Amino acid sequence: MSRPMVDLRGVYKSFGTLEVLRGVDLRVRTGEVTVVLGPSGSGKSTLLRSINHLEKVDRGHVSVDGELMGYRRVGDRLHELKERDILRQRTHIGFVFQSFNLFPHLTVLDNVAEAPLSAQRRPRREVYPVARRLLDRVGLADKADAFPRQLSGGQQQRVAIARALALDPKLVLFDEPTSALDPELVGEVLDVMRDLARSGTTMIVVTHEVGFAREVADSVVFMDDGLVLEQGPPAQVLDAPRHERTRAFLSKVL
Amino acid sequence: MSLSSEPVRLAAADPPTATPAAQDESAELAALPVVPARHPWRWVGVVVVLVLVAQFAHGLATNPGWDWATVGQYLTADVIVHAVGVTIQLTVYGTVLGFALGVVVALMRLSRSSFLQTVGWTYVWAFRSIPLIVQLLFWFNISYLYQRFDVGVPFGPALLSFETKDLVSPIGAAVLGLALHQAAYAAEIVRSGIIAVDHGQLDAAAALGIPKGRQFRRIVLPQAMRSILPNAANEVISLFKGTSVVSVMAIGELFYQVQVIYGRNTRVVALLMVATIWYVALTTVLSVVQYYVERHYAKGSARSLPPTPLQRARTRLRQLRAAAARRDLSPVGEASR
């Protein structure tokens, strides 16, 4: 296998006495869609947040596209990166939150344009047309001048996806992108994600939408209690799980 | 105009499955005029308040003790207008320097460095604990404690040397005292605004790789302003009136000047009225400014902003005119506005 897009080795993370990740190994290939399933509290979100260094792991290493996240290797030592360098690393990784986290005081267009302008220092005349194209791609070209609170949840999440794509990332992470939505709005967000997957974007999606996993995922990961229990193609993990706990979980959500 | 609640209009609530009988009944109800509920006690309250207000106004006009002639004579006198200028200067410098330092102290208290946290906390503790008037008198007498002010190597030779009393004028001491005191309160107000911003906003900004300084200026501060502004306006207004404390240092601000004049001509009440009118007028201006600044930062916080009082008045006027026009056409409806 060629160099993986994401490579996690022996990742541990605790909050106080609570061990959330207990030695996670995970590899994600370029261009693939990986869906992470698992009961709540199994460490899925923490795993995702440690990939872009929103959480600093206690032990183990995270690389994205061959670059070690949060550290620089000099000879036989690892130097902790400064905040500024970590921010630069993150500009290659899109992140979509469960609660959207759009900036409520900026218009939809400014939300999408903010990171290219300030993190990549690209000129406005170049950024705004791209931002409008991205809004068009998620079906919200007519909402460019609206404020986030004037939109429905599904529309807000589509803006958040456009915002994540504005940096032209190598990898997009989705943290339960449809869990905060009313059932009738889930479909429009999944449609956008499906479209994105078809275009060959590398994606890691934490979700409870097993149907989406079956249809779109190249690889399904099942996590429980801070560990990756199994990983494989959807047909294998979803239809013929090897682990008792995977089976128990699937029987509850299907 | 009636004080009772808005006239109620009954909607013709026809469920789609209504039987013909039910339809008849709701059609009948819809045709009935609605008599608004009466509130006689409200009228009693209004009358009582109106009588009290009339008595007070009558007193203001007829009681010679108010001495309106003297009020009018001094209200716009040069010496008073100049004193108002000094008061405004003290307020502006105190606010600008106080809030600038306050932001720094607030960021210290929120910093990840425990050393800076302690420094920030100690600053707030010290400057909130000492009464303003005591601080002002300390600064006024600073040249007694430190005669010289040297710039040079710490504990070593001095390169530049100043007489402290040349460096810190009385008005400089007043500004210093007000600003340092104000900074302690401003720091807490700014900090409360910053910690009120949803943590997801910082997550999103960090995930997008937005630089730290920009995160603060573009994402956190505009949202924090929503809760900072009402408290900050309180502080500015209380600082504005608080400048009267500076009169103990014989600085010619409004309250000191008024005292000087009534010490000479004994028209105490009239001159206190002069000061009151200026304080009230300028506080009113600040309140109006506060309203519009708050509105600016409310952008995006609601689906649509409520109209300003001016817009509301215009809408009301338009409605009244439309209603009058309608009444000319048909003098019937009580329920139709």
Side-chain angles (χ1 to χ4, degrees):
Chain A
M1 168 167 141
S2 62
R3 186 176 71 187
M5 176 57 84
V6 178
D7 194 351
L8 274 78
R9 293 186 188 250
V11 169
Y12 285 78
K13 175 73 186 176
S14 304
F15 294 110
T17 56
L18 182 70
E19 290 187 303
V20 184
L21 299 179
R22 304 189 300 137
V24 170
D25 287 291
L26 181 71
R27 263 157 291 280
V28 171
R29 270 186 293 227
T30 304
E32 284 197 347
V33 177
T34 303
V35 169
V36 183
L37 299 174
S40 53
S42 58
K44 307 183 300 287
S45 288
T46 308
L47 173 83
L48 215 56
R49 291 168 64 90
S50 61
I51 293 175
N52 76 343
H53 216 268
L54 277 180
E55 303 290 353
K56 188 174 160 187
V57 302
D58 300 334
R59 252 165 75 196
H61 298 291
V62 180
S63 319
V64 174
D65 203 20
E67 196 177 346
L68 199 57
M69 293 298 292
Y71 300 90
R72 187 176 54 234
R73 184 170 176 168
V74 180
D76 54 356
R77 278 178 207 215
L78 289 182
H79 291 257
E80 233 177 75
L81 288 182
K82 285 188 186 151
E83 182 82 21
R84 194 191 326 151
D85 300 314
I86 295 172
L87 287 168
R88 187 190 47 75
Q89 287 188 325
R90 290 203 191 107
T91 58
H92 303 297
I93 306 170
F95 200 107
V96 176
F97 296 86
Q98 178 178 353
S99 49
F100 328 138
N101 293 346
L102 293 177
F103 306 129
H105 59 300
L106 302 182
T107 62
V108 162
L109 187 66
D110 284 332
N111 263 278
V112 178
E114 174 59 29
L117 288 173
S118 67
Q120 296 180 323
R121 304 189 150 281
R122 278 155 56 194
R124 301 174 75 87
R125 62 183 154 67
E126 180 188 315
V127 169
Y128 278 98
V130 174
R132 282 187 194 279
R133 257 200 308 283
L134 283 168
L135 285 175
D136 188 40
R137 185 167 165 195
V138 299
L140 291 170
D142 55 327
K143 299 289 185 191
D145 299 318
F147 285 101
R149 290 213 176 97
Q150 295 165 329
L151 306 183
S152 72
Q155 291 172 329
Q156 288 191 48
Q157 192 62 297
R158 280 146 65 197
V159 173
I161 293 172
R163 181 175 73 170
L165 295 177
L167 289 164
D168 199 14
K170 300 182 220 173
L171 166 71
V172 185
L173 309 173
F174 293 84
D175 188 5
E176 304 207 20
T178 57
S179 301
L181 299 176
D182 291 338
E184 78 268 25
L185 302 177
V186 169
E188 60 187 73
V189 172
L190 291 182
D191 283 345
V192 168
M193 290 169 61
R194 206 174 282 127
D195 197 47
L196 202 59
R198 261 189 233 115
S199 73
T201 311
T202 313
M203 295 162 58
I204 304 180
V205 185
V206 169
T207 185
H208 293 289
E209 299 287 333
V210 177
F212 178 79
R214 191 185 298 280
E215 183 194 346
V216 177
D218 299 296
S219 169
V220 174
V221 172
F222 179 75
M223 275 188 84
D224 193 22
D225 202 16
L227 288 169
V228 170
L229 287 190
E230 53 186 307
Q231 179 178 10
Q236 181 204 313
V237 177
L238 296 177
D239 299 330
R242 278 177 308 205
H243 255 273
E244 180 48 42
R245 275 189 280 179
T246 315
R247 235 167 286 149
F249 173 78
L250 289 172
S251 73
K252 267 182 253 163
V253 296
L254 282 178
Chain B
M1 210 174 71
S2 147
L3 276 174
S4 58
S5 51
E6 298 278 296
V8 187
R9 265 174 294 180
L10 283 180
D14 283 354
T17 54
T19 60
Q23 265 173 4
D24 282 352
E25 192 182 323
S26 68
E28 192 191 329
L29 280 179
L32 296 177
V34 176
V35 182
R38 304 285 175 204
H39 303 279
W41 284 106
R42 288 189 195 170
W43 285 105
V44 175
V46 168
V47 169
V48 170
V49 171
L50 281 179
V51 168
L52 288 174
V53 169
Q55 277 187 306
F56 182 66
H58 181 253
L60 279 181
T62 57
N63 186 337
W66 291 109
D67 196 0
W68 291 110
T70 312
V71 173
Q73 181 195 336
Y74 279 102
L75 190 59
T76 53
D78 283 349
V79 60
I80 293 291
V81 171
H82 178 77
V84 169
V86 174
T87 292
I88 291 174
Q89 253 181 42
L90 287 170
T91 309
V92 169
Y93 287 140
T95 303
V96 171
L97 295 176
F99 272 85
L101 183 57
V103 170
V104 174
V105 174
L107 290 179
M108 279 181 163
R109 287 207 61 186
L110 292 166
S111 124
R112 264 180 260 174
S113 145
S114 54
F115 174 73
L116 289 180
Q117 281 174 24
T118 312
V119 173
W121 185 88
T122 309
Y123 181 91
V124 171
W125 167 77
F127 282 88
R128 274 201 318 201
S129 307
I130 309 169
L132 177 57
I133 191 162
V134 176
Q135 288 183 41
L136 285 170
L137 289 172
F138 261 122
W139 287 111
F140 195 54
N141 293 303
I142 190 78
S143 57
Y144 167 77
L145 271 174
Y146 301 97
Q147 281 89 16
R148 309 196 61 76
F149 181 78
D150 297 336
V151 180
V153 183
F155 303 106
L159 304 174
L160 290 168
S161 184
F162 306 95
E163 289 280 328
T164 304
K165 64 178 191 300
D166 298 337
L167 206 64
V168 185
S169 64
I171 198 140
V175 166
L176 207 57
L178 289 172
L180 291 176
H181 177 80
Q182 197 55 48
Y185 288 92
E188 288 297 274
I189 291 173
V190 171
R191 190 173 67 94
S192 80
I194 292 173
I195 57 181
V197 175
D198 178 21
H199 201 268
Q201 293 290 309
L202 287 175
D203 273 352
L208 288 164
I210 298 170
K212 262 303 204 204
R214 174 93 171 176
Q215 283 186 26
F216 180 70
R217 286 192 321 274
R218 173 87 162 157
I219 308 298
V220 176
L221 201 57
Q223 297 185 60
M225 283 308 264
R226 295 259 300 140
S227 49
I228 290 176
L229 272 170
N231 295 317
N234 261 351
E235 282 299 311
V236 174
I237 287 171
S238 77
L239 175 65
F240 169 62
K241 292 176 302 178
T243 53
S244 54
V245 173
V246 170
S247 62
V248 297
M249 295 158 72
I251 290 170
E253 48 75 51
L254 180 58
F255 188 61
Y256 177 79
Q257 212 54 264
V258 161
Q259 281 177 305
V260 167
I261 297 172
Y262 71 59
R264 228 169 29 219
N265 68 7
T266 72
R267 307 287 178 91
V268 178
V269 171
L271 277 149
L272 287 179
M273 258 335 260
V274 170
T276 303
I277 290 170
W278 276 108
Y279 282 124
V280 170
L282 291 172
T283 303
T284 308
V285 172
L286 283 175
S287 304
V288 173
V289 171
Q290 176 191 357
Y291 177 85
Y292 283 96
V293 176
E294 275 182 22
R295 222 177 129 77
H296 170 78
Y297 282 103
K299 229 173 23 182
S301 69
R303 297 214 154 188
S304 62
L305 288 178
T308 63
L310 214 64
Q311 289 170 337
R312 237 175 331 194
R314 259 190 235 125
T315 314
R316 185 85 195 125
L317 205 68
R318 219 174 306 129
Q319 280 172 351
L320 285 176
R321 250 190 238 132
R326 231 175 299 136
R327 213 169 306 124
D328 289 344
L329 292 176
S330 66
V332 199
E334 184 174 351
S336 71
R337 261 199 312 165

